[in-house]
Amino acid sequence: MRTQSIEARWRLVNEKGLHARVAAQIARSVGAYECNVFMANIEEEFVPADDVLELLALGALHGQEIVVKAEGSQAQSVMEELEGLFKTGFGELE
């Protein structure tokens, strides 16, 4: 299988930003794929997206842009799932 490397930037549109439930949802989604995913807000270093505590440490708030990198054979699939989560506000949009 071919290894892919993809990078994207998405804005946190949910009101509470990257809080515990959202971080857990991201980590759970990422864990379902065979690839490495990392996230960062613009000023920070990248952290593993399957680690809830590392995601929370980003301190990302509503309206901030998050940079997401995925590497591996399922990079495209995980990025599509994450894009959907970001665009729908992780199910928190009213």
Side-chain angles (χ1 to χ4, degrees), residues 25 29-30 32-33 76-86:
Q25 192 173 9
S29 293
V30 167
Y33 294 91
Q76 183 67 41
S77 297
V78 74
M79 292 297 270
E80 289 172 4
E81 181 169 338
L82 291 173
E83 180 179 25
L85 291 173
F86 272 87

Side-chain angles (χ1 to χ4, degrees), residues 33-75:
Y33 294 91
E34 291 185 29
C35 59
N36 296 312
V37 181
F38 302 93
M39 292 188 173
N41 59 25
I42 298 305
E43 299 83 25
E44 300 292 326
E45 292 184 24
F46 282 88
V47 301
D50 61 352
D51 188 321
V52 173
L53 293 178
E54 292 279 2
L55 291 173
L56 291 173
L58 291 175
L61 304 173
H62 168 79
Q64 286 187 318
E65 192 172 66
I66 299 295
V67 182
V68 183
K69 289 183 183 181
E71 302 168 344
S73 61
Q74 294 186 315

